Amino acid sequence: MHASTCRIRFLLVIIALGVCLSQPGFAAIQPVDEGWQYRWGDSPFLPDGTPLWILEDSPQHWHDIGFPSNPPGRDGREHAWFRVQLPEGSWYQPVLYVYSVDIIVQAWFRGELLYQYGTFDQEGRGRFEGWPWHEIRLPEDYQGETLYFRIFSNYTDIGLWGEVGITDHADLTVYLLGGAAEELVVSALSALIAFLALVFAVIQRGQRSFASIALFSFLTSVMLLAESQASLLIAYKPLLWDYLAAGSYYLIPMALALLLRQWLGAARPVLISWLVWIHLGLAVSALALALVGAVDLSSTFPVFDVLLLVSLVVMAGAVLPRFRVLFGEQQVLVVACGGLAVLLIVDMAVAHGFLPWGRVPVSWGALGFSLAVVSISVWHYGKTQKELQQLNVRLEQKVRERTARAESLAEREVARARLLALESKKSQKLADVIAALQDCAGIEEAFEPLLRAMPELYLPMTGCFYRRGIDGQYDRVVHWGGTPEDVFPASLGANLSVLTETVLPVRSYDLPAQMCFFLRIESARSGNRPEGVLMLERPDLPPVVKDYGIARVISWVYQSVEKIGITLSGLALRAELQRFSYEDSLTGLKNRRYFDELFRHEREVSARSDRPLCLLIFDIDHFKQFNDCHGHEAGDQALRMVGDVLATCFRGSDTVCRYGGEEFAVLMPGASLDEARQRAEQLRAAISAEPVEHRGENLGSLTISAGIACWRENCPEFDELFRAADQALYQAKETGRNRVVAATL
C-alpha cells in the first residue's frame, strides 16, 4: 500500500472517531428549559447574609422567560436574578450543569448559598474570571424545590448561556468529553499540520506560505482546545483558557491576512498588509490591558468581533476579483478559509444573541482547512515521488511474477531417489551463493564469488559463462568440465540473436546438444540485454530417468539462473536507490543529505590532519524573478547550466552539492582561502559568461553571490564554519550581489 494512501486512511479513521465520539448518547442529561422567571436588580441582604428575595413571596415582581438569558428591558442594568422550580428526576448524584454564565453567579437553594463562581463585592459587582462550564451539586431530594441565581454582568449579555440540565456527577465528564471530542480531534489534527508546515517552512525557507499555514493551523488548534469544555478537565484554569482562546481567536485574521498577502503577490492591496498589523496590535493591546487589570477580557470581544467582520469583508473584496489567477491549491485553501470564516461569523452571531443558541461546528471549518492542507500535501508528495514509486512497483511486480513462477515449478517437481542427493547438494550451494551475493556491495563485487561458484553449481554438466563487456561483446570468463576450446567458442560477439534461449518446459527429445540460459539483471546498465550467458552441454543421464531427470535438471538450472538474476537485480536496485538518495535528479550534483554527511566526515579528517578546509556557499541572484519571468522549465534549465559549469571549475577532490533551491555549496579540503577565492571568482565569471538557452531562445546570463569561510584562516572554530560562510553570502547580497565575499574574523 502506498504511503499517501495510508496517510489518507489514517486521517479518515481519526475524523470518523471524532464524529462518533461527538454524537449524543454517551451520557444522559435532563434539560431544565421550562418554568424560568427573572427579576431585574439585586436583592437586599439580611444581617446573616441571606438574600431577602429568596425568602419573601412576591410573585408580582417575577416575570416568566423562556430561557434565563438577556431578559427584556435591560437599559444598562448589571444585576439580575433568575429562578426555576427543579423538575422531577431520578439521579444517583444529581448535579445541575450550566454551559456558561455571563459573568459571575451565585446559586441559592433553601436559603443557603449552594454555589458561587466569581467574587461579589459589597455592591454586588465583580470582575470577569472566565467562562467555564458550571457543575452545581444538588441534594438528593431537590425535586420540586426552587433554585435561585444571582448574576452580575457588565458584558453585552447577562444570565445563563447555552444549555442547562440535570445529570449524574459521574456522567457529566462523559457528556463533556462526548460534546468536545470533535474539537479535540480536529485540534490535534490542526496541531499536527502546524508542526509539519513549520518543518517545511524551515526546510524550504523560500516558501513563506508554509510559515503562515503553520501559524494559522496552530492558532486554530489552540482556539479549539481552549474553547472546548474538555479543556477544564485538563486543568481547571478558566481564565487561563479564556486568555488562550482570546489570543488565538484575535490572531486568526492576522494569519489569514498573511496568507492572502503571500498568495496575491505583487497584486495585493495595501489594506491587506495593514490588517496584519491592526489585528496584531489589537491582540497584544487587548491581552496586555486585561492582564494589568485596566479592562476585563470579556469587554474586548465585542470590539474584536466588529473588527473581524470588517476585516473579512476587506479580505473577501481583495481575493474574490483575483480568485481565478490563484493556483489550484491556493483556491482550495481560500475556499476552506472562507468556510471557517462563515462559521466564525455564525458563532459570533450566536454569542451576541442575534441567532438562537446552538453548537456551531467551528471545528468542521478547521477540519476542512486541515483536510485541504493534507490533500494538497499528499498530492504534491505523490507527484514528486511518482517516478520512484513506479520503478518500485515494476520491480516488485517482476519479483512477484518470477517468484511465483519458480514456486510453481518447484511445487510440480517430484524428486526421484537418484536425483535427490544431487539436487539437495546443488540447492544448498545455490543458497550459499545467494547469501554471499546478498552480502556484496555491488554488481562487480558480486560477480567474483559467483564465477568461482559456477563450476561447483553446474557440474557434472560441462559448461562456461560469458559476460557482457564494456564494448558489448560477450566473452568467456569461466569454464569447467571438458575442453572448452573444443566445445564452446571463446566469444559470442555482440549479437545474441543467433542463440536460442532454453526455456521451460523442455522435453528430452527436442533438447539441443548445447543449452543456453540468459542471466538478466534489471538495471540501468543492462537495459533489455542480458548481462551474461550460461552455456551447458545437455546432461547425459541413465535412460530410466532420462525424460523426467532432464526436465528436472534443466528446470533447476533455469530456476537458479532466475534466482541469481533476481538477487543481482536487487543489488543493482539498491545501488541505484542509494545513488538517487545522494544525488540531485535535476543537476546531477550531490544533494544536501550527502553534503551534511560528508561535511561531518571532512571536519574530523581536517581536525586530525590539521589541514585547512574551505567552504563556499553561493546562490543565483534574483532567481525567483527569473522563474516568474521565464517559467519553471527555464528555471530548471538554468539550474542544469549552473551544474554543468560547476563540474568544470573545481578539482576532483572538491565536492559540489546542490544544497537546496538555487543555493549551492562546495567543500574544498586542503584548499587555502586564496585558492578558494580564486576558484569562486572563476566560477562567478564562468556562470555570468554562459547564457541560458531554453527551447532555442537565449534568455540571457545569470550572476551569483558567494560567501567563503576557511578553517583556520578566517574561521577558527569548526562549528562556526557554515554560519561564517552563510553570513559572508548574506554580506555579498547586501553589498550589491554578483560578487564573492570572504568571512571575516
Side-chain angles (χ1 to χ4, degrees):
M1 185 180 295
H2 297 301
S4 59
T5 304
C6 292
R7 289 182 176 88
I8 293 174
R9 291 186 177 181
F10 177 70
L11 290 173
L12 291 177
V13 169
I14 291 178
I15 296 166
L17 177 61
V19 172
C20 292
L21 290 177
S22 64
Q23 298 303 311
F26 283 85
I29 188 167
Q30 178 184 7
V32 181
D33 52 7
E34 294 181 355
W36 285 96
Q37 292 183 322
Y38 74 94
R39 183 174 180 177
W40 283 115
D42 198 8
S43 171
F45 283 79
L46 299 177
D48 62 355
T50 304
L52 179 61
W53 287 0
I54 69 173
L55 301 178
E56 65 180 9
D57 185 15
S58 53
Q60 69 276 10
H61 297 299
W62 293 89
H63 308 282
D64 293 335
I65 189 171
F67 188 81
S69 178
N70 295 323
R74 182 175 183 180
D75 296 331
R77 295 184 178 95
E78 296 181 343
H79 296 87
W81 279 72
F82 297 92
R83 70 179 184 181
V84 66
Q85 185 176 3
L86 297 175
E88 298 293 328
S90 179
W91 303 96
Y92 177 66
Q93 291 180 320
V95 295
L96 183 71
Y97 160 70
V98 180
Y99 188 89
S100 182
V101 173
D102 292 317
I103 60 173
I104 60 175
V105 61
Q106 287 180 341
W108 293 84
F109 185 77
R110 294 175 180 170
E112 296 182 357
L113 180 62
L114 185 64
Y115 175 82
Q116 177 170 323
Y117 182 79
T119 303
F120 287 82
D121 59 19
Q122 294 181 353
E123 298 178 355
R125 301 171 59 85
R127 295 188 61 84
F128 174 74
E129 297 187 19
W131 277 311
W133 48 266
H134 301 272
E135 178 186 12
I136 304 175
R137 294 180 182 268
L138 301 174
E140 294 182 0
D141 57 345
Y142 70 88
Q143 295 88 346
E145 297 287 343
T146 301
L147 183 64
Y148 292 84
F149 292 92
R150 178 195 183 196
I151 294 177
F152 164 78
S153 175
N154 55 1
Y155 185 56
T156 55
D157 292 332
I158 185 170
L160 284 64
W161 196 80
E163 58 183 338
V164 182
I166 300 176
T167 184
D168 271 325
H169 170 70
D171 291 341
L172 181 57
T173 300
V174 178
Y175 179 78
L176 293 174
L177 287 176
E182 180 182 307
E183 287 82 359
L184 295 178
V185 171
V186 178
S187 174
L189 180 60
S190 298
L192 175 61
I193 292 176
F195 173 75
L196 296 177
L198 182 60
V199 171
F200 283 120
V202 173
I203 296 175
Q204 302 181 9
R205 298 181 181 178
Q207 297 291 334
R208 295 184 179 179
S209 59
F210 280 123
S212 299
I213 291 174
L215 176 61
F216 182 85
S217 298
F218 173 75
L219 293 174
T220 303
S221 174
V222 174
M223 182 187 71
L224 292 176
L225 176 61
E227 290 186 347
S228 71
Q229 293 188 304
S231 61
L232 295 181
L233 300 177
I234 301 173
Y236 194 79
K237 302 289 184 181
L239 198 55
L240 172 62
W241 289 113
D242 286 335
Y243 271 101
L244 290 175
S248 56
Y249 180 49
Y250 291 174
L251 290 175
I252 282 179
M254 184 193 73
L256 282 175
L258 284 173
L259 282 171
L260 291 180
R261 189 174 68 175
Q262 291 155 6
W263 293 340
L264 296 178
R268 64 176 182 267
V270 178
L271 192 54
I272 294 294
S273 300
W274 277 102
L275 286 179
V276 175
W277 297 107
I278 290 173
H279 281 278
L280 179 61
L282 174 63
V284 173
S285 59
L287 296 179
L289 291 174
L291 286 171
V292 300
V295 297
D296 281 342
L297 180 63
S298 60
S299 63
T300 64
F301 278 89
V303 178
F304 172 78
D305 290 340
V306 173
L307 180 61
L308 175 60
L309 285 175
V310 175
S311 300
L312 292 178
V313 171
V314 172
M315 293 181 197
V319 74
L320 291 180
R322 301 172 178 83
F323 185 78
R324 293 186 178 180
V325 302
L326 297 177
F327 295 113
E329 54 266 31
Q330 292 176 346
Q331 293 177 343
V332 172
L333 291 177
V334 167
V335 172
C337 291
L340 177 58
V342 170
L343 291 175
L344 287 175
I345 294 174
V346 175
D347 186 57
M348 182 195 315
V350 171
H352 291 288
F354 295 105
L355 293 176
W357 184 86
R359 293 179 183 267
V360 180
V362 176
S363 59
W364 286 101
L367 177 63
F369 179 82
S370 301
L371 290 180
V373 173
V374 171
S375 302
I376 292 170
S377 301
V378 170
W379 180 77
H380 278 291
Y381 177 82
K383 183 179 179 181
T384 56
Q385 299 296 322
K386 183 177 180 180
E387 183 176 353
L388 183 59
Q389 289 179 350
Q390 289 177 345
L391 177 63
N392 290 335
V393 169
R394 287 197 299 269
L395 179 61
E396 290 173 359
Q397 181 63 28
K398 291 180 180 179
V399 170
R400 286 195 296 268
E401 291 175 356
R402 293 178 181 178
T403 302
R405 183 169 50 187
E407 291 176 353
S408 176
L409 291 174
E411 291 174 357
R412 292 199 307 266
E413 294 175 358
V414 178
R416 289 198 177 185
R418 297 182 61 182
L419 295 176
L420 277 177
L422 178 62
E423 183 178 353
S424 177
K425 180 180 178 180
K426 299 298 183 183
S427 297
Q428 182 60 45
K429 180 61 180 177
L430 177 62
D432 295 339
V433 171
I434 295 296
L437 295 181
Q438 291 175 341
D439 292 336
C440 295
I443 295 294
E444 296 301 325
E445 180 181 343
F447 263 104
E448 296 181 6
L450 177 62
L451 295 179
R452 290 195 302 267
M454 275 193 171
E456 189 175 351
L457 276 175
Y458 299 113
L459 280 172
M461 290 181 291
T462 300
C464 64
F465 182 76
Y466 299 86
R467 188 181 178 191
R468 180 162 61 94
I470 299 177
D471 56 357
Q473 301 287 326
Y474 289 86
D475 298 324
R476 190 176 64 214
V477 291
V478 64
H479 58 84
W480 56 89
T483 306
E485 289 78 3
D486 299 334
V487 180
F488 301 107
S491 176
L492 298 178
N495 186 11
L496 299 181
S497 60
V498 297
L499 300 177
T500 301
E501 183 180 9
T502 302
V503 295
L504 299 179
V506 295
R507 296 177 178 83
S508 59
Y509 59 84
D510 62 357
L511 194 66
Q514 293 183 353
M515 299 175 295
C516 175
F517 301 89
F518 291 166
L519 178 62
R520 292 182 173 86
I521 301 176
E522 299 292 337
S523 67
R525 178 182 183 275
S526 299
N528 294 326
R529 300 187 63 190
E531 183 66 21
V533 178
L534 174 66
M535 301 288 289
L536 295 174
E537 282 192 327
R538 182 173 54 193
D540 186 13
L541 299 178
V544 67
V545 293
K546 184 175 183 180
D547 293 339
Y548 159 77
I550 288 180
R552 188 173 183 88
V553 168
I554 301 306
S555 296
W556 183 89
V557 172
Y558 184 86
Q559 182 180 354
S560 68
V561 174
E562 286 282 290
K563 289 184 177 181
I564 292 172
I566 292 173
T567 303
L568 295 179
S569 296
L571 292 178
L573 175 63
R574 186 173 65 189
E576 291 176 4
L577 290 178
Q578 185 175 9
R579 178 173 59 85
F580 291 156
S581 68
Y582 284 106
E583 283 189 4
D584 175 46
S585 60
L586 180 63
T587 62
L589 302 175
K590 301 299 183 183
N591 59 17
R592 179 174 181 171
R593 177 183 175 188
Y594 181 86
F595 175 84
D596 292 339
E597 295 182 3
L598 181 67
F599 184 72
R600 290 192 294 268
H601 172 74
E602 289 295 341
R603 180 174 64 180
E604 295 175 359
V605 172
S606 298
R608 289 196 301 266
S609 60
D610 198 28
R611 68 173 183 177
L613 179 64
C614 283
L615 174 63
L616 165 65
I617 301 178
F618 73 90
D619 64 9
I620 303 173
D621 295 332
H622 305 297
F623 186 71
K624 184 178 183 303
Q625 297 179 5
F626 184 88
N627 260 346
D628 294 341
C629 182
H630 301 291
H632 289 288
E633 290 186 2
D636 291 345
Q637 181 61 32
L639 291 174
R640 282 191 287 268
M641 182 274 291
V642 172
D644 295 340
V645 173
L646 278 168
T648 64
C649 292
F650 293 94
R651 307 170 302 178
S653 59
D654 299 334
T655 302
V656 182
C657 302
R658 182 186 177 191
Y659 199 71
E662 70 271 20
E663 189 173 6
F664 297 82
V666 182
L667 201 60
M668 294 175 280
S672 65
L673 181 61
D674 291 338
E675 292 173 339
R677 188 197 300 271
Q678 182 179 1
R679 292 181 194 143
E681 290 291 352
Q682 291 175 354
L683 173 66
R684 185 183 64 81
I687 290 178
S688 63
E690 185 74 17
V692 179
E693 294 185 357
H694 179 62
R695 295 181 178 178
E697 181 183 356
N698 189 335
L699 304 181
S701 60
L702 300 172
T703 62
I704 64 171
S705 299
I708 303 174
C710 185
W711 179 80
R712 307 174 178 256
E713 290 187 55
N714 62 350
C715 184
E717 297 294 334
F718 252 127
D719 293 338
E720 297 294 322
L721 185 61
F722 194 93
R723 188 180 66 84
D726 194 53
Q727 288 182 347
L729 170 60
Y730 180 76
Q731 184 179 356
K733 292 180 179 179
E734 288 294 312
T735 55
R737 304 180 186 269
N738 191 19
R739 62 192 64 212
V740 178
V741 174
T744 57
L745 291 173

